[in-house]
Amino acid sequence: MNTRFLETFVTLARLESFRATAQLLHATPATISLRIRSLEDELKCTLIDRSASQFRLTQSGSALLGLAKRVVDTARALREAAGQSVAIGGKLRLGVIETIVHSWLAQYVAYLKENYPKLEIDMTVGSSSSLQKQLLSGDLDIAIRAEGIDSPRIVSNAIASYPVRWIAKRGLISRRGPGLAQRVLQYPILTFGRGSAPQVALENIVCSLAKECAVPAEQINVTCLPSVTLIVQLARDGYGVAAIPSLFVADALRDGSLIELPLKPSPPPIIVSVCKPVHTTPMIDEAANAARVVCSVYSRSFMSEFIEAFDDTREEQYSRMVNLPDMA
């Protein structure tokens, strides 16, 4: 029996996505499908319910999954003992922005712990600029941040786009009728730290809106805050209008305590990238690839309305971009 096919089955059952499994195993979805069918032919049973609208194992697939995991683990341990493969372990110095903390960080850490139990994660949460400095100085192995890093020593791959919207407490501002921009500009506009790309872009939009509405510049109040949590709390309290990804307040938007304001233009999205040194170790490569896969699975399975995952073509296009601005 081909243990690689068993490993494919175990990975597919965990990720519940042929495409994500293909990404993680460096194969194509067609190859993954062929491996599963070959395994089904050998076991003389169906493992995947292909008639279901969502991914689902068959009764046989569920029953055999535990045995398949044990075989895969045993085969991996045997190869490591024989020196045929490199065990992924050691300390991973991982830096992330708050955007990741508020979305798929928990799933990412759980994935790493499950698949690489010898891996020790040293976590840093900070702004994109601080993570960039730490990665370039060698104090971090991976930085998951907004935008890429323009350096010949760093590889940056965009993995997702977080749309940014105008968010306000229900009842604070009427969404109906003309003059929405004037009503919004009566309140502080809450955004990320000063000098970050979201803040700079927002400042330009607000100044343009004020000019169109003949609002004096001295009446504009763009409030820069150090954390997403503080921005969300002030928006909930009705202190001002937040320009943030809807993901951060998804529950409040669903229960109606916060609303999106249809003010145009919308601030530009936050582009999330995985950044790592050009010359690195298998451990860092595996962890970086896992981040892309977990983010993709999360965006499709949990928050597709708030996050757009990048496909491989967009990643290649993005990795060729230079002179990217810093974002918080």
Side-chain angles (χ1 to χ4, degrees), residues 1-2 12 14 24 42 57 78 81 137 139 146 151 172 174 180 196 204 212 223 244 261 281 321 328:
M1 181 173 293
N2 192 325
L12 178 61
R14 181 173 61 249
L24 184 63
E42 185 171 1
L57 296 178
L78 183 62
S137 66
D139 294 326
S151 168
L172 183 69
S174 173
L180 176 59
S196 64
N204 291 333
E212 292 174 6
T223 301
I244 55 175
L261 298 175
T281 66
M321 295 173 63

Side-chain angles (χ1 to χ4, degrees), residues 14-301:
R14 181 173 61 249
L15 297 181
E16 299 184 348
S17 165
F18 279 86
R19 185 173 180 276
T21 301
Q23 290 176 339
L24 184 63
L25 299 182
H26 305 289
T28 65
T31 298
I32 299 302
S33 180
L34 181 60
R35 290 180 188 176
I36 296 300
R37 289 193 180 276
S38 298
L39 183 60
E40 289 175 330
D41 289 343
E42 185 171 1
L43 295 175
K44 295 181 172 51
C45 68
T46 302
L47 301 172
I48 309 298
D49 184 355
R50 295 175 176 83
S51 66
S53 58
Q54 295 183 334
F55 182 89
R56 185 171 64 194
L57 296 178
T58 63
Q59 185 175 357
S60 297
S62 298
L64 294 175
L65 180 59
L67 289 172
K69 288 180 179 178
R70 287 197 287 272
V71 172
V72 169
D73 291 341
T74 300
R76 183 182 296 124
L78 183 62
R79 288 194 297 269
E80 291 176 3
Q84 294 180 9
S85 63
V86 178
I88 302 300
K91 179 179 289 187
L92 174 68
R93 299 169 302 171
L94 175 66
V96 300
I97 54 174
E98 250 195 303
T99 300
I100 310 306
V101 176
H102 288 267
S103 51
W104 47 272
L105 179 63
Q107 287 85 347
Y108 180 43
V109 171
Y111 181 94
L112 292 176
K113 289 294 186 182
E114 178 183 351
N115 290 277
Y116 310 112
K118 297 180 181 179
L119 193 65
E120 178 187 350
I121 302 173
D122 186 358
M123 182 80 66
T124 297
V125 179
S127 67
S128 286
S129 59
S130 67
L131 296 182
Q132 175 174 325
K133 292 176 182 177
Q134 292 178 73
L135 185 64
L136 289 172
S137 66
D139 294 326
L140 288 177
D141 298 315
I142 293 175
I144 305 178
R145 67 190 292 274
E147 302 294 357
I149 296 176
D150 181 21
S151 168
R153 296 188 287 121
I154 302 297
V155 175
S156 300
N157 288 315
I159 58 174
S161 173
Y162 290 67
V164 176
R165 298 290 185 261
W166 304 96
I167 306 295
K169 182 179 180 180
R170 175 175 290 278
L172 183 69
I173 298 173
S174 173
R175 291 183 289 186
R176 300 176 181 176
L180 176 59
Q182 291 97 321
R183 295 194 294 275
V184 168
L185 293 177
Q186 292 176 9
Y187 294 88
I189 308 300
L190 314 176
T191 186
F192 299 95
R194 187 165 300 280
S196 64
Q199 183 270 326
V200 172
L202 182 69
E203 192 94 39
N204 291 333
I205 291 174
V206 170
C207 288
S208 296
L209 289 172
K211 186 176 181 180
E212 292 174 6
C213 302
V215 175
E218 58 271 18
Q219 293 183 17
I220 298 174
N221 182 354
V222 176
T223 301
C224 304
L225 297 163
S227 75
V228 171
T229 301
L230 185 54
I231 295 174
V232 172
Q233 186 57 56
L234 289 176
R236 287 178 178 273
D237 292 342
Y239 174 77
V241 176
I244 55 175
S246 303
L247 169 70
F248 297 160
V249 289
D251 291 339
L253 290 173
R254 292 190 181 108
D255 67 28
S257 56
L258 292 176
I259 61 172
E260 287 189 12
L261 298 175
L263 179 62
K264 299 299 180 182
S266 296
I270 294 177
I271 307 298
V272 175
S273 296
V274 175
C275 306
K276 64 176 182 176
V278 172
H279 303 293
T280 187
T281 66
M283 173 190 73
I284 297 173
D285 287 337
E286 287 292 329
N289 190 48
R292 179 166 59 92
V293 172
V294 172
C295 177
S296 179
V297 172
Y298 179 86
S299 65
R300 288 198 307 274
S301 302

